[in-house]
Amino acid sequence: MNRPVHELSVREIGSALRDGRLRSTDLTRHMLGRIADLDGRLKAFILVTADRALEDARRADDELARGIDRGALHGVPYALKDIYDTAGIPTTCNSRLRWNFVPDMDSEAERRLRQAGGVLLGKLNTHEFAIGGPGFDLPVPPARNPWNTACFTGGSSSGSGAAVAADLVRIALGSDTGGSTRSPAALCGVVGLKPTYGLVSRRGMFPLSYSLDHAGLLGRSVDDVALTLNVVAGHDPEDPSSAQVTPVDYASGLGQGLQGLRVAYARDLFSGVRGLSPEVPDAIDAAARALVELGATVEEVQLPDFDLFKACGRIIMCVEAFAIHESDLRTRGEEFGRYTFQRIAPAGTLSGADLVQAFRLRRELTLAVDAVFASHDVILTACAIGPAASLEDFPLDWPPPSAAVAVQTVPFNVSGHPALALPACFFANGMPLGLQLVGRAFDEKTLLRVGAAFEAHARVGDRRPVFVSS
Amino acid sequence: MRDYTLAAGEEFDLSMRRCGVAVPPDWSSGTWYVHDELHAMAKLLRQCRPAETEPAFLFDILRICSYHPGKE
């Protein structure tokens, strides 16, 4: 192997494990060493589960030696945002309110990853309860962007984005309620998938907003994400939001090209946004031209006004979050992080009618997004509206400047359609610039196929961050 | 533009007290900002007057989409 093992793809790791060039225990020790060397600066991990990782790795090696092969993730390291329950391992949500919580059961996603032979490296940093922001008053300080450690990672799956970008782990799970997987993917220059609502079980994932929460998958490449989706997708009868769909092989057909596919370009969704960097429309326009070169047809479409999606999503998210945290907000509000409190507590002043109105609008917005797919296969739009902001731009009290946190992601939490963030190019200041693709409900296969074709064309995912601190 | 008048401040305080949440004094600024932002969004939703008479929960919406495998 000419490259360091932390740069190997999931398929390359699998191949090396199976032909004896690599053992999972050696790979795991290497990754644990890399985390020990680098994570003091990145703060991507809340907890490193070294003993558990080595135990998983030894089992994976032993099974392969005995001819037991659990599939693509067998012996492959992964990590989980610290809102996924892990039996016997603390699950803190980066909150003082949950700091000593040790679940006795695995989340369903963790159960599936373990069953598939994966190696758990640890629990990843998050904004408190997957909301809040990069608060310095939380138990673990904000994760830092590997492309510039003075900068924000995006969030709330902040550690997931940072860890994958820095090659501390190849694949990670996050969550996505308004963009919490796609934002760190875009700002850290990795691939982030929010699958269709209901495709991946959320059982054992600490909720932020029941009707907007999705699991999220982050990886170095579209293929890595597709192979991970193959493991975690599928019906869970114990999750009331789980869809009764038969998963397919999401990684097959990624190299098929785009001939005959129809792309809807939702340029209006981001082109008028306040704080938009002029580099973003230039980059997404270039991506649209690239998709045409790859054989697709691209046509501009109009979606409903972004402010409607934003208002609808925010009202639902904040009211549902208030319902979850109501008792703690009333009795020990000062134990929350400042941002978390400020973002959730005011939702208690909204009325039941406000929530019903949001759900009424949600039907219209969802049907409007869905109507696009009557004549198109995917939607192309922007993800973040500018490069990662400096952590110093975040004031003591909410809000930060809108350009620091604005992402065009919430429409597809409101509508539930699958959405993929992937690197498009780089801003002039060297920070990653991501685009967003959206697919039909439960058609992740086509979505990932388009993502893989663009990825192979753009080849920006091959570039690695050099840790700098400006 | 935020309304920083005493009356607006009293309205915010009263509104938070009604929902049973005591705002730590030095956290008031950001809480007040989000309070006003959420109420502006709620006002926008009321102005929209969605034509659909029934609210819809997401899973129900996806199930009525023609692409849902169960619909074929």
Side-chain angles (χ1 to χ4, degrees), chain A residues 89-311:
Chain A
I89 298 170
T91 301
T92 71
C93 303
N94 199 12
S95 176
R96 279 182 288 277
L97 291 143
R98 301 268 295 184
W99 196 248
N100 296 313
F101 176 68
V102 180
D104 54 15
M105 285 182 66
D106 283 331
S107 53
E108 176 63 9
E110 158 64 0
R111 189 192 70 76
R112 289 181 188 223
L113 287 163
R114 197 172 188 188
Q115 182 74 25
V119 174
L120 178 66
L121 290 183
K123 307 297 287 290
L124 294 162
N125 204 347
T126 171
H127 299 170
E128 185 178 28
F129 291 120
I131 185 173
F136 285 90
D137 60 347
L138 300 179
V140 177
R144 289 176 178 272
N145 195 312
W147 293 90
N148 181 337
T149 54
C151 288
F152 182 41
T153 53
S156 63
S157 306
S158 52
S160 307
V164 173
D167 289 317
L168 303 185
V169 66
R170 188 76 196 187
I171 48 177
L173 292 196
S175 63
D176 197 316
T177 305
S180 286
T181 286
R182 287 163 288 158
S183 152
L187 295 183
C188 293
V190 301
V191 178
L193 173 69
K194 179 198 79 67
T196 311
Y197 187 82
L199 183 63
V200 177
S201 172
R202 306 173 312 176
R203 182 158 54 92
M205 188 178 108
F206 195 89
L208 168 57
S209 166
Y210 300 113
S211 73
L212 291 168
D213 285 345
H214 298 64
L217 290 71
L218 295 100
R220 260 268 164 210
S221 68
V222 173
D223 189 50
D224 285 357
V225 166
L227 291 168
T228 308
L229 186 63
N230 279 348
V231 169
V232 296
H235 183 55
D236 173 10
E238 294 185 53
D239 174 357
S241 70
S242 178
Q244 294 198 38
V245 293
T246 306
V248 297
D249 181 356
Y250 299 101
S252 70
L254 291 186
Q256 277 181 6
L258 304 186
Q259 209 64 42
L261 285 185
R262 300 156 301 172
V263 177
Y265 184 13
R267 199 175 192 282
D268 280 359
L269 202 62
F270 65 90
S271 59
V273 173
R274 192 159 47 95
L276 177 73
S277 161
E279 293 180 69
V280 171
D282 288 350
I284 311 301
D285 288 349
R289 290 192 296 273
L291 294 175
V292 172
E293 284 175 35
L294 291 165
T297 58
V298 177
E299 181 183 45
E300 274 200 44
V301 295
Q302 277 204 314
L303 290 175
D305 194 285
F306 179 75
D307 284 345
L308 292 178
F309 285 108
K310 184 178 169 186

Side-chain angles (χ1 to χ4, degrees), chain A residues 197 243 308 314 330 336 338 342 348-349 354 357 359-364 366 370 373-374 398-399 440 442, chain B residues 15 19-20 26-27 30-31 33-35 37 39 45-46 48 50-52 54 56 58-59 61 65 67-68:
Chain A
Y197 187 82
L308 292 178
R314 277 286 300 284
R330 285 185 171 148
F336 284 88
R338 192 175 183 118
Q342 291 176 336
T349 68
D354 292 331
Q357 200 67 355
F359 276 117
R360 292 174 79 190
L361 180 62
R362 186 177 197 176
R363 177 191 290 272
E364 292 200 343
T366 299
D370 211 57
F373 293 111
W398 199 262
R440 289 189 181 96
F442 300 104
Chain B
S15 179
C19 79
D26 64 335
W27 291 8
T31 313
Y33 177 90
V34 175
H35 170 275
E37 189 182 39
H39 282 271
L45 296 190
R46 284 196 295 276
C48 284
E52 292 286 345
E54 296 279 339
L58 188 57
F59 199 49
I61 301 172
C65 292
Y67 308 111
H68 191 282

Side-chain angles (χ1 to χ4, degrees), chain A residues 317-336:
Chain A
M317 179 174 78
C318 290
V319 171
E320 291 185 342
F322 184 87
I324 289 162
H325 294 287
E326 182 175 6
S327 173
D328 286 336
L329 287 165
R330 285 185 171 148
T331 58
R332 45 185 194 154
E334 71 286 349
E335 292 181 49
F336 284 88

